[in-house]
């Protein structure tokens, strides 16, 4: 009650607190504090700049290889956005995705990325490269859009790409946030033949019946479990459990953030199917990935 004397102020301050909670990794709560207004101002500046960046083609797609753990075969890639800022250099998504997510900008960014990935896949095809599936990260707002599957279908068709060349990633917390409203959208994507992976798996609170019901094709074990595989028996047990859970539901399991040979070995022993991480390859621009 002390955070605003009128509706407008209260709503604005609640919004600042909501944004702070999202920044702190969701599934949390935050209270308004006057300092947050400074943050709000900075956010507005950043939002404006990001809008410009989209128009001025300052966003770049980087590609990180995904490999089969058993033999290291390249099986696909994940597209990760970078912002080539004229003054600040290469800005990682951690510094602007949450700002984009607070507005419709995230939808534009996602559409840009889908188009960019399809365009790049078509270029690689004309260069005689094998067509490998590329995963695109999407946010809650995309999955709330009933026309998502239709727009993805049109984009694939425009570049004459098979649906198997795209995979979409939704974080576990986003899936919980959008929940049942998106079941139809997810089913439409499944009918289309586009894969759907749950990103950062293990950090949310998915119910098992949920996992069984939704048309998901893969689970990605969050990097926080992979990081200490060598030293932490709990993390080892959790990773093994996620692999077993995924397999028993007929899903592929991908480990994120594999950095060492020892981590690779443990995951392989646990039966994990695929992996990404600096050990295999960092995200790189399209030219380098080719
Ligand atoms: P994510 O989808 O979970 O992507 C994995 C992140 O881990 C990437 O960070 C990647 O560069 C990093 N990574 C991969 N292997 C390793 C490793 O071995 N060690 C370490 N320390 N890190 C590794 P990045 O590119 O900074 O992206 C961060 C997050 O931003 C992504 O997490 C994703 O949630 C989001 N993001 C990135 N691009 C997009 C996009 O186009 N759209 C949306 N909506 N979100 C995106
Ligand atoms: Mg991802
Ligand atoms: Mg992840």
């Amino acid at each position: 009650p002390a955070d605003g004397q009128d509706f407008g102020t209260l709503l604005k301050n609640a919004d600042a607190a909501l944004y702070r909670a999202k920044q702190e990794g969701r599934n949390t709560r935050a209270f308004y504090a006057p300092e947050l207004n400074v943050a709000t101002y900075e956010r507005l500046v950043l939002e404006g700049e990001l809008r410009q960046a989209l128009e001025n083609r300052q966003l770049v797609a980087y590609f990180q290889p995904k490999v089969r753990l058993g033999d290291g075969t390249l099986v696909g890639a994940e597209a990760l956005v970078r912002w080539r800022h004229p003054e600040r250099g290469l800005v990682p998504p951690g510094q602007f995705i949450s700002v984009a997510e607070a507005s419709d900008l995230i939808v534009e960014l996602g559409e840009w990325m889908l188009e960019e990935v399809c365009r790049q896949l078509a270029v690689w095809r004309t260069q005689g490269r094998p067509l490998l599936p590329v995963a695109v990260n999407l946010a809650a707002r995309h999955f709330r859009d009933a026309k998502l599957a239709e727009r993805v279908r049109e984009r694939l068709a425009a570049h004459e790409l098979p649906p198997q060349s795209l995979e979409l990633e939704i974080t576990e917390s986003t899936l919980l946030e959008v929940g049942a409203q998106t079941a139809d959208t997810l089913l439409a994507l499944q009918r289309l033949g586009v894969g759907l992976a749950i990103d950062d798996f293990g950090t949310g609170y998915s119910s098992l019946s949920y996992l069984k019901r939704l048309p998901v094709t893969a689970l990605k074990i969050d990097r926080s479990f992979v990081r200490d595989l060598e030293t932490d028996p709990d993390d080892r047990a959790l990773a093994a459990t996620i692999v077993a859970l995924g397999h028993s539901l007929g899903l592929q399991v991908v480990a994120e953030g594999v950095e060492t040979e020892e981590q690779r070995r443990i995951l392989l022993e646990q039966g994990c199917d695929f992996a990404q991480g600096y050990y295999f390859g960092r995200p790189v621009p399209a030219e380098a990935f080719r």
Side-chain angles (χ1 to χ4, degrees):
D3 287 336
Q5 293 301 314
D6 54 75
F7 179 73
T9 311
L10 201 57
L11 187 69
K12 182 168 84 45
N13 291 347
D15 195 46
L18 173 71
Y19 175 71
R20 165 55 63 91
K22 283 192 166 176
Q23 248 188 347
E24 285 172 359
R26 304 162 181 281
N27 286 320
T28 183
R29 61 176 66 83
F31 290 96
Y32 170 74
E35 308 86 80
L36 291 188
N37 274 335
V38 179
T40 305
Y41 173 72
E42 283 169 2
R43 169 162 58 116
L44 284 175
V45 171
L46 192 63
E47 193 184 312
E49 282 191 352
L50 192 53
R51 219 172 271 286
Q52 290 281 307
L54 267 162
E55 279 170 25
N56 301 342
R57 304 175 175 278
Q58 287 171 9
L59 297 186
V60 193
Y62 271 44
F63 295 83
Q64 182 177 40
K66 177 164 105 183
V67 304
R68 190 184 295 126
L69 264 174
D71 56 10
T73 312
L74 181 70
V75 294
E78 175 173 4
L80 295 156
V81 68
R82 300 289 182 264
W83 179 0
R84 257 185 211 142
H85 195 284
E87 285 118 44
R88 277 181 272 157
L90 204 63
V91 186
Q95 290 180 25
F96 59 88
I97 287 291
S98 57
V99 168
E101 279 184 337
S103 77
D104 270 350
L105 257 184
I106 194 67
V107 177
E108 278 177 56
L109 193 151
E111 290 294 319
W112 170 81
M113 187 54 118
L114 281 171
E115 176 59 26
E116 179 60 16
V117 165
C118 289
R119 188 194 63 77
Q120 191 60 63
L121 281 167
V123 168
W124 283 332
R125 185 185 46 197
T126 56
Q127 292 172 344
R129 302 280 154 171
L131 203 57
L132 290 172
V134 173
V136 172
N137 294 284
L138 291 183
R141 283 179 204 246
H142 293 104
F143 291 96
R144 288 212 182 90
D145 175 3
K147 294 229 161 58
L148 177 66
E150 181 54 21
R151 280 187 291 109
V152 169
R153 194 190 62 74
E154 282 168 8
R155 232 176 254 291
L156 285 164
H159 295 277
E160 296 175 31
L161 293 167
Q164 293 74 24
S165 49
L166 264 191
E167 193 176 305
L168 302 180
E169 292 191 6
I170 177 171
T171 63
E172 188 180 21
S173 51
T174 301
L175 189 64
L176 296 174
E177 189 185 324
V178 289
Q181 328 157 22
T182 56
D184 288 344
T185 309
L186 298 184
L187 283 168
L189 286 168
Q190 181 189 41
R191 277 195 298 274
L192 179 61
V194 170
L196 183 72
I198 305 189
D199 207 349
D200 304 348
F201 190 76
T203 58
Y205 308 89
S206 304
S207 85
L208 299 182
S209 63
Y210 222 73
L211 273 184
K212 202 179 101 183
R213 231 168 343 110
L214 292 173
V216 169
T217 48
L219 297 184
K220 298 188 77 173
I221 307 176
D222 190 63
R223 186 161 65 86
S224 59
F225 303 112
V226 174
R227 194 175 45 218
D228 300 324
L229 271 183
E230 296 159 51
T231 50
D232 188 338
D234 291 342
D235 282 342
R236 219 155 37 230
L238 283 169
T241 306
I242 295 175
V243 172
L245 170 69
H247 285 171
S248 66
L249 293 169
L251 308 176
Q252 299 179 337
V253 183
V254 187
E256 302 187 306
V258 176
E259 293 184 353
T260 68
E261 164 58 26
E262 187 61 6
Q263 290 166 348
R264 187 198 72 90
R265 197 191 54 75
I266 294 169
L267 288 159
L268 180 63
E269 216 169 80
Q270 293 180 337
C272 184
D273 308 292
F274 306 105
Q276 288 173 235
Y278 295 171
Y279 180 71
F280 305 104
R282 290 182 178 249
V284 289
E287 262 309 291
F289 185 78
R290 182 175 77 101

